[in-house]
Every structure is written in C-alpha cells, then in structure tokens.
C-alpha cells in the first residue's frame, strides 16, 4: 500500500503516474472504511482525492500554504501530511479531527469549520508574506457551495488588490449541501458547458485571472494545471470540476444525503443505526407544512441547510414557493426574512446556533431596529449539540438576547415549542427567535394556553420556599431534578420556575420571591458570560437574595464529553444541591 | 418654486421636462443651504437628484416600493415624498432624520443606515408580494461603494432566484466613502468604458439582466430607462453613472472629504467651525506610522472608513503597502487580519463600534478560535458616539466581550490607550480589541508601566472603604466624580478601580474587597445587558456584597440628548451618590 509509506507530502512526489492513481484508489478505500464506521463528511472528501494528491505533488507544503474552506474536505490532505494513521487504523481514528487544525500539523494554518472563510484567510497569509518579502505559494481551496457566502465574495473581490501570488482552487461539484441556489451557479454551469471559455465569467468580472480544468478527478490534468499557476505573480482562480461522492455509487446517486454520513453498511449504504421516534426537525417541517396550507403568506427560509428544520427534498417540493433556500448566505436570509415580514409575509428561518453567528448585524439592524415579525428557529443550541470547536451551540444567548426588541424564547417541551412557534407566526409585533430544544423530545402532553404576547412572564411550576430555581429551556429538566434533590436533602421543597423568555426579566415575580426565599439559582444551557443568569444576578444585586448562576464557562470546548463538561461546571443535580446546602449552612 | 408645491410623488409627474430640470436645480440649492447649516451626507445626495426625480416620475410610490441602501442618499426622496419642509425651512430641519424611516413616511419601508442591505431587504418585499399575488414594482437603489459588502453580494446572487419583478438601480459614482477597492470596480469601469456592452459583466455573471444608463444625472435618459424596466417580470440591474457631489464644485473636486460634511461656508466650502486639539484618530495614525517605519510587518487595515483611525489620503500614501483598505467588507477585514497575524504580520484594524457588528462570526471563528494576535481598534463606542438609531456605539461590549480568547481593553486616558496599543501590536498571544475613548482626549501625563500580558489585573487608583467603584474606560472620569461625591456626602472615601480589562474579572481583587466593603458599583459606557457589570454581579452573587450596575438600558436610542439619557439611567455623580446613601441607610 502506497499510503502506508506517505509520511509527508514529499513522499507523494516520489510516485509515478500509475502509482498516483493507485494511491487515489487506496485513499478512497480507506475513507470508505473509516466513514462507514465513524461517519463524517463523505461527498466532499470523495470528490477531492485527486485534487489533493495533485496539490501536494505540485506544491511544497508547509512552505506553500493551503487553506481548505470549511475544511470538511481536508481528510485527504490530512492523509498526505503525516496523519495517515488517523485514517488507516481504527485505534487512531480519533487522533484527527474532522477539520483542519494547526494543533495537529504544521500543514494546517487555521482551525476552521464555517464556510466561505478560506479566501480571506489566505489573503491574510499572502499579505503577511508580501510584507515579509516571502515567495511561497498561498492556496485557498473552496467549494462551489461556499461561494455564495458573503465573506467568500468579499474575499474574492479583495483578492486582486494583492497584486501577488494567490491561487484560489474552486472545487465545483455542482452542489452545496443540498442543491445550489443563486445566480452565480448559472455562471458556473455556463463555464462548465463552455469549458471555461465563456466571456461572461464571474471570476474575471471580479478582477481575477482564471484557469479551467475540465476533469477535476483526473490527477494528470490537475498536476498540469497546478504547475501552470505555481509561483504566479498575481491571484488566479483554478476552476476544477469534480464529482461529489465519486467512487461510491450510493453517494454518487444521492449527493445531498451523502454530504455527511452517519456510520453505514458499505455494501448497502444503509445506516448502521436507525434513529426512530420524534424529533424537532421533522416536527417543525410538518407543523409548518400544515400551517402553510391555510396561509399562503407563510414561508420557510433556509440558508443551505434545509434539513435542519426538517425540509427534506420531498417536503421542499410540497412547500413549493413557500420554501426558500438562499444557499449559504445567512446574512441575506435574515434580511430577506425582515423584508418579507415588512411586506406582510410570515417568514420562518431555521438555522443552527453556530451559523446564526454570521448575522449579528442583520439581526440588530435589518430585523430588530425595524421590529419586523420574523421567526427564527435556532437549532443545536446546547451543550448537547455539535461538539467540534468550530460548531459549538453555546454562544447564541449572549449574541442574540442582548439585542433590543428581540424576543428570544426557550421552550422546555414539545408542547411549549409548538405553541411558541404558532404564536410567533401569527403575531405582528416582535421579531421572535426560539431556542429549539435538542436531543430527545420531551412531551408532557399538557396543553399550553399561555399568552406569549405578555412578554417576560415566567411560569412558576412548583411553589416552594427558601431556594428558587429558574431553569431555562433545555435545562428545565435539570432544574426539576435539582429541585427534587434539594427537597430531599433539606426537607424544604424549592420553588421551580420555567422562565420561557430569555430576553427579559419577570420583575414582579422576582420581587415576590424576596419574601420567602434566600437564594435564587439560574440554569442555562450555554455560556454564563453575557447570558441569562447574569441578568438575574444584576436584578438582585442590591438585595439580600443570594444568586447562584449555573451554565458553562466562557471557553472554546472541543470534541468534549458532555457529562464531564457538565460536572466541571457543577451542572449536576448533586452539585447544585451541595452548593445550596453550603450556602444555607453558611448563613 | 416647484419644490414648494410637491406634496407627493404624483406632483412630480405633473411637471414637464423643463420644469423637471428646474426642480433639480431647486433641490440642489435647498440641499446646499441645509447641509451648509447642519451638515450631513453631501456627495451621495448631490449625485442622486436626477435619479430620484426620475424614479418618482416613473414609479408610483408607495405602491411601488423603493429601498435606498444606507439611505444616506435618500434626502431627495424625502423632499419628493411629502417631507420637503424638512429641507426648505430651518424650523423644520429636524423633522426628518438623515436616513429612511417608516415612522416619518409611508414611502419608507425600513429604518436603515448600514451599507449593503438594500438588495436583500428588497428581495424580501418582492417575495412577500409574490406570495400575496401583488404586482407592484420593488426597487433597490445601491451605490457602487456598497456593492463590496458581503450582504449585498449575497443579495445579488439570490435575486435571480425570485423570477419576478425586482429592479436594482446601481448608482455608480466611482467612489466609496474614499476611493473604491476591489476587483469588481475594474468591471464597473469596463462597463462604463464600453457603455455597458462588455461581455464580461459582473451582474450578468450573477444571473441578472442588465441595462446601462450613460448619464445618470440626465433626467430624460433616466426616465426612459426606468420606463423600460417598469413592471418587468424578472430582476434587472439598471447601472446608472452619476457624479458624486455634482453641482457644487468643492464637492466635485474633493469627493472623499465631501462624502459627509459638517456645517460650512457656501462660498468657500470651508467648515464653519474649526476643530482643534488632539484627537484619538490622528494620534493613532501618527503612532502607527511611526511604528511602521521600524517594523515592516505592521499593517493598518480599514474597511472603507480609513479616516476613522486617522488614515487620511496623505497618511495612506505614506504608509504605502502597510495600509490596506478592503472596501466596505468588514467580515473580510477581520479574517484578513487573522490571516496576516497567522503568518507573522501585525495587523491593526480600525473600525467603528456600529460596523464591527458585522463581524461577530469572524471575530469568533476566524480570529478567536485561532487565537491570532491581531489588534482591533473600536471607535465611537460610547453614548457620546453617533446618535442615529442605526449607528449607535453602545452594543459592542456584549457582542465582543463574551467571545472566548478575546482580550478587550478599555483605556481611560491617552497614555493608557497608547500603551495598550503598543502592547497589543508587540505581543503574540491574544487577539486584542481596544475600546478607543471618544470625545476630548484625556491625558494625565502619567507613564504607563503596566504589563498588560498579566490578564484581568485591575488597577486600584484610590484605596477607600465601604463602597468600591469599578469605572470602565470612558466612564472612568464619571467614576472619579462619583467617588468624590460619595466621599463628600458620607465622609468615607470609596475605593476607585480602573479595570482596564472588559473580558475578565480580577477575582483576587474582588475577593479582597469583601473585607472592608459593603457595596461595589460598576460603571460602563454601553448597555448593561450582557455587559461588564453583570459579570461582577454574578461574581458577588453568593456573597454579602451588594452590587449596583450602572450603564444604559437595552434599547435602540435615536437622535438623543446625551445628558437626558445619562440622567434616565442614573448616570450622574449625584444619582450614583444618592443610590449609595440609600443602600447604606437601608442596612
């Protein structure tokens, strides 16, 4: 096996053409094996095997510097840069992350996982090189799906200003996660159809030089192309046409489903584990589809990740014009939603917590200053959400909840969620975001009759004394457990409160608590800094009430064990009860 | 005077060609008069007189809906939509804001003031129209300078997906605030040079139809063009070439300086008031230029607003390759800075508080996860900063300071600022942001020897007892005053602390304060929610120390009186002293 002997990129350069082809086959086999056992980004990596070999054949990494956009397609790069063991041997699978990582290798320059950043980051590397008088090649590798993101377009526009070496490899597999959306994809098609000869060329229109490579899965063609652009004295786009999922027929046939995979059976392509039971994604899409039938102005908006809120290909078809995928363009999605609401439509934008981060200014300026009634559903906003450092869902409360006019809601159950969703769509007075609970669906069957238009009214679910627990959204269950534990240990049942509103304080209730409570505990499923609990601490600052804020420390966690993180942050019922006991004893 | 008789757009349509030309002259005279007395956006409005007349001649506002990007060029639109008095009569000058405003008129659909949002917002209006089965025209008017912003490019890419009426008027005056930067401007030049006939066309490459108008200051040409595109069934770009500042020769000659003006003498073009004395902008540029001479890897980065940190045209020339203007592209600016720092350069990005809002995700992902040592200078971050609802500088603490790894510093004096700036450039361990004080420069002449690499170490500037005041950055002066007032009233001097670090708590010091203090006050020049003081309240939550947090209420202020806002938030020394007295008495 050639791959076993590749300890650094220079080992790739020792192989002849036939051996390189064999290497590509080996890499696909190794990828297939690992991904079938562990899951991961499938399609993007299967398409990039030959291009990665060619890049390392022609360029001299790490002197020449490669930046992979999203870096979910950098598995092959890892294999060729001293990290093959992380793919060859199951014992070492966990040695490598799913994204580029300078901690792992000198061949990686950034920890990154969000789309559309590579061109700008590479421009930075190039600018520093120029200031230092360096001569190395700087290479950004970006997929067509990522091109629609504002940061990528800003980067492409800026790149020609460099007047020095920068190679932008556009990996065009004619797909985003789902199908592409946007005018630039018509131009990419025109360029593919004309083999790059069409005069109307997006990249040239942005001031960039351009080279077309017809078969981006042909190592020889790629090597030739990369040799041509190596050491060039100005920025150039190398447009390579690859096949997403190439080499594994189920992935070639269904490219959307195979963008990312869970562990699967190689022979059949079927997932090894089946997930059954209710989930918030399907529930949301089904609810919206039903409501759309009665209201033609209701429209679901996605930014390139439609299945986040259950909009599979079939459901997108069913929704018709009432579903809009803007492509990877979160800023546009929020502004679009604001515009729809301003003209009497009812937009519901579904997005992961980690990606809503791209839209702080749009939330503030385009949406909240205008106080337009759009609904934003924030998914995977939890310590139980995605666990890679680049995809954490624990920062959305500080980001979203401190924007004036925004109403940010935290349901604890399915019933509360659907009631809030329904209310947010029908009301006309506020931009509303809902922090969709993750994990297993909790349903108590209780009908929700609450009028959510009376803002910041918390619900007391258990009236007790001495201690009061304000347990937000997905941590409401932990609040219940802690309440029980405290009652057991102290003999006094605490008050339990489901606040539901993240963006405001229920002052009358908090005032009332002063009468027969000594301590108020807050629980939130996110970082404490800038979050929900601190507002309660501020409220009680001049009073005799003690406040204990529970949540996560402000830090970038990475591939963590949830229970360990919870324990480290004293987020277990036992620890919480201990803290209350200690505080009570001290008095 | 025709303008006096225009109470609604239909009155424009009653005028013949000659009368329309006369109207344009009148509007320029009125603009000149008002701007000479009050200041405002000069160049953008002088260039848009004819286009605005033509828009209202052809389209039927408010049924047809116009969205002005930034809306700093919407003065003429306001004149023609029932708000002429706000320009004609000095008594009514304040009746209209400097930006579009639905509160003012049914002809405005959004309160907006940040660039690059119009296309996306207009897409939203169009989408809602289509869902409702409407037929009106939706028109976005966007300047060439705004095109480089990611949100605008995302919007342009999405627009063709609409398959219905959308008219995007690109007002090309060949200028941003300063000169344009980016590859797309070469394409705009090519289109101007070929009268729109070049095959390589950015807008067509993004899937849009296209129409060129050679003289965008010729009402007749414009009317013809707009008639052609009215009621079109698909999105189209109408590219009009205008002259920024047209009709006033000082503004035609120096387009950068006349983008925005302070009150001036019409005859000479000289400002009516001269501003002398030190300011943080000039001080910064001078400091950086000096340091650049010794360090070729130091580079100043701007996103289209170079004079924010003192980089006038002359200084930009002096800095040469060590100054980069990326155009209006804040996301790219932060990612670029991270890339520069990753490759050993020393980037310093200067930006206003209101515009750093566009980069939450880049700060978090591109910069802070990678912990790259870039410096970000945040200007106008204060209640004393810009006072329009769209340009407030009071939200940056919650936005920036809750991101892990970021070191956000708040200097109180010139000496502290320069010491922090110098440290941030030379150190290699942290992304650093500095909240540059606004207003008059405060200098105490004290040399700063503090080692800023020892993070979160606050400075006790006056050791007292009972009360401790933690007064952040630009509110340190208020802290001093309040300390004096409290000492006077209670006979006991409080402790005064200059925290300097926004992003962390000095736990040993705060612990120490427990010994001989009853109450800790925090003062910050921004909203309280998610801010600095709440972290102190959280710290003391389980102790007997009382905490009073002073800062601004979470709200969108608009064209406010600073002193009134300060009073309403109990931010005067007297109010603070009263609160301390009351709390003390109550004990």
């Amino acid at each position: 096996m050639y791959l076993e002997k590749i300890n650094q990129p220079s080992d790739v350069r020792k192989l002849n053409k036939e051996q390189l082809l064999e290497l590509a086959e080996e890499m696909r086999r190794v990828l297939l094996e690992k991904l079938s056992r562990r899951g991961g980004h499938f399609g993007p990596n299967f398409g990039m095997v030959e291009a990665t070999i060619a890049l390392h054949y022609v360029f001299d990494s790490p002197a020449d510097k490669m930046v992979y956009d999203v870096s979910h397609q950098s598995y092959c790069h890892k294999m060729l840069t001293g990290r093959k063991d992380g793919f060859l041997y199951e014992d070492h699978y966990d040695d490598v992350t799913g994204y580029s990582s300078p901690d792992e290798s000198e061949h990686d320059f950034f920890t990154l996982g969000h789309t559309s950043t590579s061109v700008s980051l590479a421009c930075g590397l190039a600018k520093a090189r120029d200031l230092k008088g360096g001569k190395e090649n700087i290479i950004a590798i970006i997929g067509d799906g990522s091109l629609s993101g504002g940061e990528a377009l800003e980067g492409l526009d800026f790149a020609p200003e460099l007047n020095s070496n920068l190679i932008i490899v556009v990996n065009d597999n004619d797909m985003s996660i789902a199908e592409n959306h946007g005018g630039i994809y018509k131009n990419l098609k025109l360029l593919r159809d004309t083999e790059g000869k069409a005069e109307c060329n997006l990249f040239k229109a942005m001031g960039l030089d351009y080279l077309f490579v017809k078969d981006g899965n042909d190592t020889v063609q790629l090597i030739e192309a990369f040799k041509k652009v190596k050491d060039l004295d100005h920025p150039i786009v190398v447009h390579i046409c690859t096949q997403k999922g190439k080499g594994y027929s189920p992935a070639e046939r269904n490219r959307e489903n195979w963008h990312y995979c869970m562990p699967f059976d190689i022979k059949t392509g079927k997932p090894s584990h089946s997930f059954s039971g209710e989930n918030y994604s399907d529930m949301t899409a089904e609810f919206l589809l039903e409501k759309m039938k009665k209201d033609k102005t209701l429209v679901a908006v996605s930014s390139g990740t439609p299945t986040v809120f259950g909009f599979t290909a079939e459901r997108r078809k069913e929704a018709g014009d009432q579903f809009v995928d803007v492509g990877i363009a979160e800023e546009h999605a929020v502004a679009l939603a604001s515009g729809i609401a301003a003209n009497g439509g009812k937009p519901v934008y579904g997005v992961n917590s980690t990606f809503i981060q791209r839209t702080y200014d749009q939330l503030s300026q385009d949406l909240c200053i205008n106080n337009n009634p759009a609904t934003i559903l924030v998914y995977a906003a939890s310590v139980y959400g995605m666990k890679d450092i680049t995809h954490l869902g624990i920062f959305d409360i500080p980001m979203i909840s401190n924007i004036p006019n925004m109403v940010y809601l935290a349901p604890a159950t399915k019933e509360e969620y659907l009631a809030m969703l329904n209310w947010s769509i029908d009301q006309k007075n506020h931009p509303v975001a809902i922090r969709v609970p993750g994990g297993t669906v909790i349903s108590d069957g209780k009908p929700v009759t609450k009028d959510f238009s009376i803002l910041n009214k918390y619900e007391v679910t258990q009236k007790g004394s001495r201690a009061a627990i304000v347990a937000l959204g997905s941590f409401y269950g932990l609040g219940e457990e802690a309440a029980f534990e405290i009652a057991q240990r102290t003999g006094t049942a605490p008050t339990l409160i489901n606040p539901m509103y993240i963006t405001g304080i229920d002052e009358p209730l908090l005032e009332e608590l002063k009468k027969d409570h000594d301590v108020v505990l807050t629980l939130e499923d996110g970082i404490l800094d800038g979050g929900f609990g601190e507002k309660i601490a501020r409220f009680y600052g001049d009073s005799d009430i003690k406040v204990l804020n529970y949540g996560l420390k402000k830090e970038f966690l990475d591939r963590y064990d949830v229970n360990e993180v919870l324990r480290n942050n004293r987020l277990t019922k036992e620890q919480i009860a201990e803290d209350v006991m200690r505080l009570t004893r001290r008095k």
Side-chain angles (χ1 to χ4, degrees), chain A:
Chain A
M1 211 181 190
Y2 296 110
L3 183 58
E4 287 170 331
K5 288 169 205 137
I6 291 182
N7 295 309
Q8 58 222 359
S10 60
D11 295 329
V12 177
R13 295 193 280 277
K14 291 174 189 157
L15 304 181
N16 64 30
K17 188 182 144 186
E18 285 69 32
Q19 291 167 331
L20 290 176
L21 296 180
E22 180 57 32
L23 174 64
E25 286 311 303
E26 290 173 11
M27 288 167 70
R28 281 210 170 78
R29 284 202 301 274
V30 167
L31 274 177
L32 188 63
E33 193 64 33
K34 177 170 179 180
L35 288 169
S36 74
R37 296 186 192 201
R38 292 300 179 92
H41 281 100
F42 194 102
N45 285 295
F46 270 69
M48 274 294 289
V49 174
E50 289 80 8
T52 311
I53 292 173
L55 282 167
H56 282 294
Y57 190 88
V58 173
F59 295 102
D60 179 25
S61 176
D64 293 332
K65 298 176 175 60
M66 300 174 193
V67 184
Y68 288 83
D69 205 271
V70 201
S71 73
H72 63 329
Q73 82 291 53
S74 67
Y75 297 2
C76 301
H77 166 78
K78 293 196 178 197
M79 285 190 208
L80 302 181
T81 53
R83 287 169 280 180
K84 61 181 185 340
D85 291 1
F87 297 86
L88 282 167
Y89 312 116
E90 191 157 8
D91 284 356
H92 288 278
Y93 278 175
D94 293 334
D95 292 359
V96 294
T97 71
Y99 301 94
S100 73
S101 166
D103 291 340
E104 264 178 23
S105 168
E106 59 174 354
H107 296 273
D108 293 3
F109 299 90
F110 301 97
T111 298
L112 61 88
H114 281 196
T115 63
S116 316
T117 70
S118 60
V119 178
S120 295
L121 292 171
C123 284
L125 295 178
K127 179 68 192 175
R129 173 203 59 200
D130 296 345
L131 290 169
K132 295 191 297 179
K135 292 287 166 207
E136 74 269 21
N137 290 273
I138 307 288
I139 305 128
I141 299 105
I142 182 167
D144 54 323
S146 297
L147 287 179
S148 59
E151 188 176 348
L153 292 164
E154 287 183 357
L156 288 171
D157 177 44
F158 173 80
E161 295 268 319
L162 279 175
N163 282 321
S164 61
N165 172 283
L166 178 73
I167 296 155
I168 302 166
V169 178
V170 172
N171 170 29
D172 181 5
N173 58 27
D174 191 22
M175 270 305 263
S176 185
I177 297 173
E179 69 282 358
N180 277 315
H181 288 277
I184 62 177
Y185 299 102
K186 290 181 201 159
N187 190 250
L188 290 190
K189 182 174 189 315
L190 176 70
L191 291 172
R192 286 196 303 272
D193 291 349
T194 60
E195 301 197 357
K197 294 189 184 74
E199 282 289 322
C200 187
N201 177 315
L202 175 72
F203 305 108
K204 289 185 180 176
M206 296 190 93
L208 289 156
D209 198 359
Y210 176 82
L211 181 69
F212 180 80
V213 179
K214 190 176 176 181
D215 187 351
N217 292 110
D218 177 334
T219 312
V220 175
Q221 271 186 40
L222 289 162
I223 288 175
E224 259 173 50
F226 293 147
K227 279 185 173 167
K228 263 188 214 162
V229 299
K230 188 180 180 183
D231 300 326
L232 204 67
D233 65 354
H234 62 271
I236 188 166
V237 165
V238 182
H239 180 186
I240 70 173
C241 306
T242 66
Q243 187 181 1
K244 197 166 181 172
K246 186 181 172 72
Y248 184 62
S249 59
E252 289 179 5
R253 281 197 305 269
N254 190 332
R255 297 181 297 167
E256 179 175 347
N257 285 3
W258 284 87
H259 173 79
Y260 186 93
C261 67
M262 300 300 284
F264 61 94
D265 179 84
I266 293 179
K267 276 190 197 129
T268 63
K270 301 262 182 249
S272 313
H273 313 288
S274 66
F275 298 91
S276 61
E278 265 189 315
N279 67 73
Y280 280 100
S281 299
D282 289 323
M283 185 196 306
T284 305
E286 289 297 338
F287 177 88
L288 292 176
L289 283 170
E290 201 53 42
K291 204 167 165 78
M292 280 174 187
K293 285 179 198 157
K294 294 169 216 144
D295 187 346
K296 284 289 152 201
T297 68
L298 176 58
V299 55
V301 177
S302 173
S303 49
T305 55
T307 57
V308 160
F309 63 140
F311 280 92
T312 55
E314 302 76 47
R315 292 201 184 109
R316 300 200 291 270
K317 203 174 157 194
E318 191 182 338
D321 285 346
Q322 289 178 269
F323 178 83
V324 177
D325 184 350
V326 302
I328 291 172
E330 293 86 358
E331 300 173 67
H332 174 71
V334 170
L336 181 83
S338 180
I340 291 171
N343 203 9
K346 296 176 178 172
V348 178
Y349 173 39
V351 59
N352 277 333
S353 167
T354 187
F355 299 133
I356 190 85
Q357 293 185 181
R358 310 205 92 151
T359 69
Y360 179 90
D361 197 51
Q362 288 71 34
L363 291 174
S364 174
Q365 296 270 324
D366 297 339
L367 185 61
C368 288
I369 284 180
N370 289 285
N371 215 17
N372 284 330
T375 298
I376 299 176
L377 304 178
V378 183
Y379 286 82
S382 170
V383 67
Y384 293 98
M386 289 182 277
K387 293 173 194 70
D388 287 292
I389 189 170
T390 48
H391 287 72
L392 302 172
I394 58 176
F395 301 113
D396 54 288
I397 293 181
M399 196 198 83
I400 296 173
S401 74
N402 298 311
I403 299 173
N405 292 352
M406 175 66 86
V407 176
Y408 197 15
L409 298 171
T413 64
K414 165 187 168 179
E415 287 77 12
E416 289 171 14
Y417 169 61
L418 291 177
M420 288 172 182
L421 175 56
N422 197 50
W423 170 76
S424 75
I425 294 168
D426 290 340
Q427 59 85 38
K428 301 269 186 203
N429 300 313
H430 313 282
V432 176
I434 304 177
R435 203 166 195 248
V436 184
T440 318
V441 173
I442 294 171
S443 169
D444 60 11
K446 286 185 200 155
V448 177
T449 55
K450 188 177 171 70
D451 178 1
F452 291 100
S453 64
I454 302 165
L455 297 184
N456 306 327
K457 194 167 175 341
Y458 299 175
E459 294 300 310
V460 177
T461 50
Q462 173 181 300
K463 181 76 191 84
S465 62
R466 306 202 58 184
I469 303 175
V470 187
L472 186 72
S474 44
F475 272 11
Y476 180 76
L478 175 63
E480 277 186 321
E481 290 174 15
F484 186 78
E485 189 75 17
I486 291 167
Q488 291 264 306
R489 295 197 188 191
T490 65
T492 308
T495 294
L496 182 61
I497 294 168
N498 179 352
M500 297 195 183
Y501 294 86
I502 310 176
T503 26
I505 293 290
D506 186 341
E507 295 196 8
L509 174 63
L510 297 190
E511 205 54 63
E512 181 74 20
L513 291 181
K514 286 181 180 172
K515 289 183 190 159
D516 46 5
H517 292 78
D518 309 315
V519 56
V520 173
L521 292 75
T522 68
L523 274 59
E524 65 196 296
D525 188 1
I527 65 163
L528 283 169
D529 294 68
F532 172 74
E534 288 184 346
K535 290 169 187 59
I536 308 264
R538 163 155 67 98
F539 177 85
Y540 285 121
D542 69 348
S543 80
D544 292 326
I545 295 274
K546 301 280 183 287
V547 177
L548 296 176
N549 296 134
Y550 291 88
L552 303 175
K553 189 181 157 200
K554 178 180 76 170
E555 63 182 329
F556 288 119
L557 298 163
D558 194 19
R559 303 200 302 166
Y560 55 92
D561 177 84
V562 173
N563 289 326
E564 192 184 316
V565 166
L566 293 177
R567 267 195 314 277
N568 291 344
N569 287 284
R570 302 197 65 74
L571 281 162
T572 69
K573 60 180 179 182
E574 294 83 6
Q575 291 168 314
I576 294 168
E578 278 166 26
D579 292 345
V580 171
M581 299 286 283
R582 193 179 313 121
L583 198 67
T584 317
R585 269 198 304 276
R586 216 175 59 192
K587 276 186 76 78

